[in-house]
Amino acid sequence: MNLPGLKPTAVVLAVSCWLGMHGQPSLFEGLNSGLSFGSPQAFLEDEASDELRIVGSPSTADGSVHSPGVFMWDGEMFAPMGCGFNWSCQGAPSPGGLGNPVYSLIEWDGSLYAGGGITSASGVAIARVARWDGAAWNPLGEGLDGMVYQLRGYPDGLYAVGSFMHAGNVEANGLARWDGSAWHSVFDLPVIDVAGTNLLNDAIWYHDKLYIGGNFGGGAGTGLNDIACWDGAQWSPISNGFLGPFSTVFRFDIHDDLLYVAGGFADYPPNGNAANPGSGIVTWDGMNWGQLGVGTRGSTNPSVLSMTWINDELFVTGRFGRIGDVPTGRVAKWDGSRWCSLVPPDYFYPDLACVGQFRDTLIVGGSFTAAGPDSINRIAKWIGGSYTDSCSLVTGIQLVDPAPSGFTVAPNPATGSVNIAINTSQIGQQLVLYDLLGRPVLKQHLVSDRSILQIGELARGSYVVHIGGLTRRLVLE
């Protein structure tokens, strides 16, 4: 990091002070010129084709690629998927994007499926769920009569989750199953919300039980509050569920045999309830709730909207302004023991909606057109940078000239390899190379005062070399 007017000699940098004096750092990079009006809602990494699929409401990518609601990104450029949705490929699509976005995209039974507010593709009527045949999008029977917020694929079928009442001609109440040729209700889910129409955001099989989550509360005397499960005989509550006027479950995920539950719930006033098991995100092991630190406690809006795992670290985004007692710009990671903010407060403007990954790199999407000092339109990838917080390797970044107790890294920037020179007193210590997400990517035991570090297989970017209590920045070109 270059500090105007200062040499990197015996400087301890308090990053928060640096931000206040010199503005926000570049931590994310746009994908070319980005996406048009609207917001991505979900990402899907297709490992077979090595492409990222993006769904949401934007109708145009890179200023000229038209494919309303769905795009492909190959690492260098965007591409359409047919005519996208709610557009006939004639003329130009609405610059305002889709009024009802595409919310979910998954692979099931060898095909790609999309769900959301879809009403047509290439002039063919489609009712909320569509299948990609490699060239065009196709309807699934008579479809659904309301919005789809999530799709899940299991051996017995494709599960659609949303706010619809019917799937085909079957009463489904927000949860339906497509078996490849027809729609079915799922365990005869009844109306469970006092408003009369179920609003479900997600469903997942965990420990041989089907869990559902959304915004529903105690309809028909069920006592099911925002989360419930089919236990093999009936729909049952999960303890007290989630309470509060704005409580909602948005997403489920499973990792290391724990069910992760993310949503808009809190355990503090004025809009939360002390009986809730946590704020923003919690775990469930089938019997008991678990907390991830204090979650989003203290945020005006505690909502966690989206989550993804990259190399055993959990990344989340949402509307929260604090997580783990750390102020944040609404993107954070859980490293297994604590929360770390990846950006300072108010970094993205105006909003974030989803998080995902592509080639082990964090991807975020939202309605934002600014990310710190940069103009970035609605989709961005993490590139690291100079921001550090409570999960930094050190509280400040100590930059010192080589000294009897120090070490040198050269050349820097480097390409395929780098030379490490240490003091003889440091022989026997371990060198650890961290990426700027704080993940160790290389370890080497130092057996002499001169070592060569082979880094040619690592991705280009910034890294931190750590030996004992000292660190050095390393740039790989």
Side-chain angles (χ1 to χ4, degrees):
M1 177 169 55
N2 295 320
L3 302 179
L6 293 178
K7 294 181 179 180
T9 302
V11 175
V12 177
L13 173 63
V15 175
S16 60
C17 295
W18 183 83
L19 292 176
M21 294 170 59
H22 300 284
Q24 295 175 327
S26 293
L27 304 173
F28 282 81
E29 179 179 273
L31 305 190
N32 293 351
S33 63
L35 303 171
S36 66
F37 181 91
S39 172
Q41 295 294 327
F43 304 117
L44 176 66
E45 182 176 26
D46 188 333
E47 295 182 355
S49 64
D50 194 27
E51 294 172 331
L52 179 69
R53 314 299 174 102
I54 305 155
V55 295
S57 55
S59 58
T60 302
D62 238 358
S64 59
V65 179
H66 302 313
S67 186
V70 58
F71 297 91
M72 294 187 294
W73 168 258
D74 66 3
E76 295 184 0
M77 60 195 313
F78 290 98
M81 294 191 68
C83 297
F85 297 111
N86 302 359
W87 180 52
S88 64
C89 268
Q90 301 298 313
S94 168
L98 298 182
N100 291 313
V102 182
Y103 284 104
S104 184
L105 186 72
I106 73 163
E107 293 179 0
W108 176 75
D109 196 30
S111 295
L112 193 66
Y113 293 82
I118 301 163
T119 57
S120 68
S122 301
V124 177
I126 294 178
R128 305 333 189 279
V129 182
R131 182 180 67 84
W132 175 249
D133 65 9
W137 293 97
N138 301 279
L140 271 66
E142 297 178 11
L144 312 170
D145 62 3
M147 193 68 71
V148 171
Y149 296 118
Q150 182 69 300
L151 296 173
R152 294 281 188 179
Y154 291 105
D156 64 334
L158 176 72
Y159 286 64
V161 186
S163 59
F164 50 87
M165 296 184 67
H166 296 88
N169 59 1
V170 176
E171 182 177 341
N173 295 316
L175 181 63
R177 180 176 61 87
W178 172 257
D179 67 5
S181 59
W183 287 103
H184 306 269
S185 64
V186 179
F187 301 127
D188 296 319
L189 178 66
V191 173
I192 54 178
D193 187 62
V194 292
T197 300
N198 295 339
L199 195 167
L200 307 185
N201 291 317
D202 205 353
I204 197 166
W205 279 97
Y206 173 69
H207 285 188
D208 296 323
K209 296 179 180 180
L210 180 63
Y211 287 74
I212 56 173
N215 187 349
F216 51 85
T222 62
L224 306 179
N225 296 306
D226 296 339
I227 187 170
C229 76
W230 175 258
D231 62 11
Q234 61 184 353
W235 290 100
S236 301
I238 308 301
S239 61
N240 293 321
F242 295 97
L243 306 173
F246 300 107
S247 65
T248 306
V249 169
F250 288 121
R251 285 292 175 261
F252 294 128
D253 201 359
I254 297 171
H255 186 76
D256 285 345
D257 202 37
L258 284 176
L259 176 64
Y260 285 74
V261 184
F265 47 83
D267 60 2
Y268 56 91
N271 299 321
N273 190 297
N276 287 338
S279 299
I281 185 166
V282 292
T283 63
W284 173 254
D285 66 5
M287 295 290 293
N288 300 293
W289 293 108
Q291 292 194 0
L292 283 70
V294 296
T296 56
R297 177 175 258 276
S299 288
T300 302
N301 187 330
S303 298
V304 173
L305 301 177
S306 179
M307 55 183 162
T308 192
W309 290 89
I310 304 177
N311 297 328
D312 285 327
E313 291 183 317
L314 175 65
F315 293 82
V316 300
T317 190
R319 304 274 164 72
F320 52 88
R322 297 183 68 86
I323 192 164
D325 277 337
V326 177
T328 178
R330 308 191 302 280
V331 185
K333 75 168 182 177
W334 173 253
D335 69 359
S337 61
R338 55 184 174 175
W339 285 105
C340 324
S341 174
L342 297 188
V343 294
D346 302 319
Y347 189 83
F348 287 97
Y349 179 83
D351 213 348
L352 285 165
C354 56
V355 65
Q357 64 171 303
F358 181 53
R359 299 175 183 171
D360 283 337
T361 298
L362 182 69
I363 305 290
V364 297
S367 60
F368 57 86
T369 54
D374 304 306
S375 295
I376 298 179
N377 291 315
R378 300 175 182 86
I379 186 168
K381 66 178 181 180
W382 170 256
I383 58 171
S386 303
Y387 181 67
T388 57
D389 75 341
S390 63
C391 279
S392 309
L393 298 178
V394 288
T395 303
I397 302 171
Q398 189 176 18
L399 300 171
V400 298
D401 281 339
S405 60
F407 67 95
T408 60
V409 176
N412 194 2
T415 53
S417 64
V418 65
N419 299 310
I420 306 294
I422 63 173
N423 186 272
T424 54
S425 64
Q426 295 172 310
I427 295 174
Q429 294 189 12
Q430 186 180 56
L431 178 152
V432 183
L433 186 66
Y434 293 87
D435 66 16
L436 286 180
L437 293 181
R439 302 176 302 198
V441 296
L442 189 152
K443 296 180 181 180
Q444 185 166 316
H445 191 66
L446 301 175
V447 296
S448 72
D449 62 349
R450 295 291 186 271
S451 301
I452 297 177
L453 203 61
Q454 298 296 339
I455 55 174
E457 293 183 1
L458 297 177
R460 290 180 297 175
S462 296
Y463 295 84
V464 174
V465 183
H466 184 82
I467 301 174
L470 297 175
T471 63
R472 296 285 185 276
R473 293 267 179 195
L474 170 63
V475 176
L476 175 57
E477 293 185 332

